[in-house]
Amino acid sequence: MSRSDDEFHAFVAERLDRWRRSAYLLCGDWHLADDLVSQALVKLHRNWSKVRGADNVDAYAQKVLTRCWLTERGRRWRHREQTHSDPPHRESLPDDRVVDRLPLADLLRSLGPRQRAVLILRFYLDHSVEETAEILGVSPGTVKSQSARALGQLRIQTPR
């Protein structure tokens, strides 16, 4: 294995769980989240020399993952595919410490894809308005307005 491959594997190993969780929050399906992460990894590996030269490698990788999800949402065949059973129950994993994970996922699924992506990038992954705009390919004003609308929608749905 080359030094470049070693560098790529180390980069991925440190971030894989985070990418998987953020992909799940975007799409709401663990199987699709794994597929999205796999697609993003292929793209990142293919362009690793360019990726590692980026100013913010983590933001670049998140941009690739988010765009994989946005592309996947546009595929018609995916909308026809239905799963009919839940995966087998697994014992708690170390990152299953969040008790309200399912209600949060349900709330996020109630939002449109762009609003969901904005909230996840801004508040779960802690990207700035400008970084979020760059990742989604929109203006900072769009990020702010989508964020405000999404938070307003969540306030309406959340019992007090």
Side-chain angles (χ1 to χ4, degrees):
M1 204 176 335
S2 72
R3 176 184 158 114
S4 178
D5 283 340
D6 289 341
E7 188 180 86
F8 177 76
H9 288 284
F11 174 76
V12 170
E14 291 176 22
R15 294 157 179 87
L16 191 59
D17 288 337
R18 181 178 184 208
W19 291 338
R20 189 169 181 260
R21 286 190 305 271
S22 67
Y24 173 76
L25 288 173
L26 287 167
C27 69
D29 178 303
W30 283 111
H31 299 290
L32 180 54
D34 289 337
D35 290 347
L36 294 172
V37 170
S38 295
Q39 290 172 27
L41 288 175
V42 167
K43 291 178 181 189
L44 290 169
H45 188 264
R46 188 179 307 139
N47 299 301
W48 182 241
S49 60
K50 178 181 174 184
V51 173
R52 71 178 176 194
D55 290 337
N56 186 338
V57 179
D58 287 318
Y60 189 101
Q62 185 63 51
K63 180 179 187 175
V64 170
L65 178 61
T66 304
R67 292 207 172 152
C68 285
W69 173 66
L70 291 170
T71 300
E72 192 68 25
R73 288 210 30 95
R75 293 190 178 157
R76 292 180 187 269
W77 65 267
R78 175 62 73 181
H79 297 289
R80 291 190 306 248
E81 188 176 303
Q82 298 291 322
T83 56
H84 296 285
S85 65
D86 291 329
H89 177 70
R90 298 186 319 195
E91 294 301 316
S92 292
L93 297 174
D95 48 301
D96 282 343
R97 286 175 255 153
V98 178
V99 176
D100 293 328
R101 179 173 291 185
L102 290 177
L104 173 62
D106 290 341
L107 285 171
L108 288 172
R109 275 194 298 277
S110 73
L111 299 172
R114 192 70 64 173
Q115 289 177 349
R116 186 179 334 156
V118 166
L119 290 187
I120 292 167
L121 291 168
R122 289 280 294 123
F123 302 111
Y124 181 73
L125 297 173
D126 203 28
H127 287 289
S128 69
V129 170
E130 292 75 20
E131 290 169 334
T132 301
E134 170 65 24
I135 289 169
L136 294 175
V138 298
S139 71
T142 300
V143 169
K144 292 175 186 177
S145 67
Q146 290 293 307
S147 180
R149 287 183 187 131
L151 291 172
Q153 184 67 26
L154 292 180
R155 280 187 200 101
I156 292 170
Q157 294 180 31
T158 307
R160 294 183 186 209

